[in-house]
Amino acid sequence: MTTNKQHHHSHDHHHHPESQWSAKAKAIESLLIEKGIVSSDAISSVVQRYETNIGPMHGAKVIAKAWKDPDFKKRLLEDSETVLRELGYFGLQGEHIKVVENTETVQNVVCCTLCSCYPWPLLGLPPAWYKEPAYRSRIVKEPRKVLKEFGLELSDSTEIRVWDSSAEIRYIVLPQRPSGTENMTEEELAEIVTRDSMIGVAKVEVPMANV
């Protein structure tokens, strides 16, 4: 197991933009619920959509393009930040994103041990479990066990690389393209790429119709 530390001193939890926006969002949410303008269920529904559907669509499109276009994939892995910026994926929480590739022998997984740095422009809102102290600490110490709890069982020969995101650099996983998808279009491929596979806690599954 390889752990890639990238934190240094860049985290300032008293002045971290994500912490400030999170506090403001919670205050607004409480006020809206208190005034009866929206319900907590409605807010949860919107958050769920952005966590699992709307947000990750951007990252899924990048992954699908990399699967279909070898030249694009090569550039993406060599200079992720430049390529993603060309596509319009940058800005707040999207600075300095690095793409790391899964292979037959390597499984990459992303975390942020000190807070919850995450590539928002590509994956949308981070899932609740990503921000939990249990995931942030355990994925570094016992990644194979944690991945198994997510339903991802890896052979002992598979190397697990844990990438620790920070305010200086954020990571996204390029999952392996599953066999049986050779005839799928780029748009169809994007539909099967999941948020969890781009964090590294799951593999992309072949649609039943293609099995």
Side-chain angles (χ1 to χ4, degrees), residues 106-125:
V106 174
Q107 175 70 30
N108 295 284
V109 61
V110 180
C111 69
C112 178
T113 56
L114 294 186
C115 53
S116 55
C117 291
Y118 190 77
W120 287 33
L122 289 170
L123 299 187
L125 300 175

Side-chain angles (χ1 to χ4, degrees), residues 16-23 93 116-118 120 126 131 170:
H16 197 282
E18 186 174 330
S19 299
Q20 292 179 3
W21 284 111
S22 178
Q93 307 300 331
S116 55
C117 291
Y118 190 77
W120 287 33
K131 298 177 284 185
R170 293 166 172 81

Side-chain angles (χ1 to χ4, degrees), residues 109-111 129-130 132-139 150 199 201:
V109 61
V110 180
C111 69
W129 54 261
Y130 183 87
E132 290 294 328
Y135 172 78
R136 286 156 40 196
S137 61
R138 291 185 60 223
I139 193 65
F150 273 94
I199 297 176
V201 298

Side-chain angles (χ1 to χ4, degrees), residues 160-187:
I160 302 174
R161 297 177 182 172
V162 180
W163 298 87
D164 195 358
S165 295
S166 71
E168 295 177 347
I169 186 167
R170 293 166 172 81
Y171 299 94
I172 179 173
V173 175
L174 171 59
Q176 278 188 282
R177 179 176 178 176
S179 58
T181 61
E182 293 75 18
N183 296 323
M184 294 177 67
T185 65
E186 193 170 307
E187 292 73 21

